[in-house]
């Protein structure tokens, strides 16, 4: 059956195509198969959202990630910030940068 690696590869392909909806379906399948999304998988899904200017969906993934207590890395925050800024959501992007500094995750 599918494993973490196959999901990671599939969601990375979604990232390249900005296919955020497909990435979300794959994330749901991952959970259905009782596998856990790691930071790399979530970051790829967030980047798919960013590529499609779906900043709300990118933000949702970040919040879901934090709720599941998966550590949000600089790469994840940067991807969500990029999604916000590519959609001209400057207030959200600035808020994320402030949050990053408060929790000592620094943008690169």
């Amino acid at each position: 059956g599918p494993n973490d690696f196959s999901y990671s590869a599939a969601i990375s392909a979604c990232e390249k195509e900005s296919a955020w909806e497909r990435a979300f379906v794959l994330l749901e399948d991952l959970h259905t198969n009782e596998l856990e999304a790691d930071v790399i998988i979530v970051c790829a899904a967030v980047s798919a959202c960013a590529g499609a200017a779906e900043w709300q969906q990118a933000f949702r993934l970040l919040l879901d990630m934090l709720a599941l207590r998966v550590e949000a890395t600089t790469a994840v925050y940067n991807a969500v910030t990029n999604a916000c800024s590519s959609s001209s959501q400057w207030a959200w992007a600035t808020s994320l940068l402030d949050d990053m500094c408060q929790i000592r995750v620094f943008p690169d």
Side-chain angles (χ1 to χ4, degrees):
N3 58 28
D4 288 348
F5 179 77
S6 57
Y7 280 103
S8 182
I11 292 174
S12 290
C14 292
E15 174 187 7
K16 290 176 181 64
E17 299 294 321
S18 301
W20 69 274
E21 292 162 315
R22 181 70 186 138
F24 273 50
V25 168
L26 288 166
L27 283 172
E28 287 177 20
D29 287 350
L30 183 103
H31 294 297
T32 300
N33 287 309
E34 297 181 4
L35 298 170
E36 291 187 24
D38 63 12
V39 172
I40 295 167
I41 290 172
V42 174
C43 192
V46 167
S47 294
C49 294
E54 289 289 338
W55 69 275
Q56 299 101 325
Q57 301 303 330
F59 220 97
R60 182 180 129 201
L61 278 175
L62 175 62
L63 294 176
D64 289 349
M65 188 177 184
L66 295 173
L68 293 171
R69 300 198 192 294
V70 177
E71 181 185 359
T73 63
T74 298
V76 173
Y77 273 99
N78 284 344
V80 177
T81 303
N82 288 341
C84 291
S85 60
S86 69
S87 300
S88 299
Q89 297 296 322
W90 308 116
W92 287 103
T94 302
S95 175
L96 275 172
L97 291 172
D98 289 344
D99 290 349
M100 288 173 72
C101 291
Q102 287 179 6
I103 62 171
R104 301 201 178 281
V105 174
F106 298 103
D108 58 6

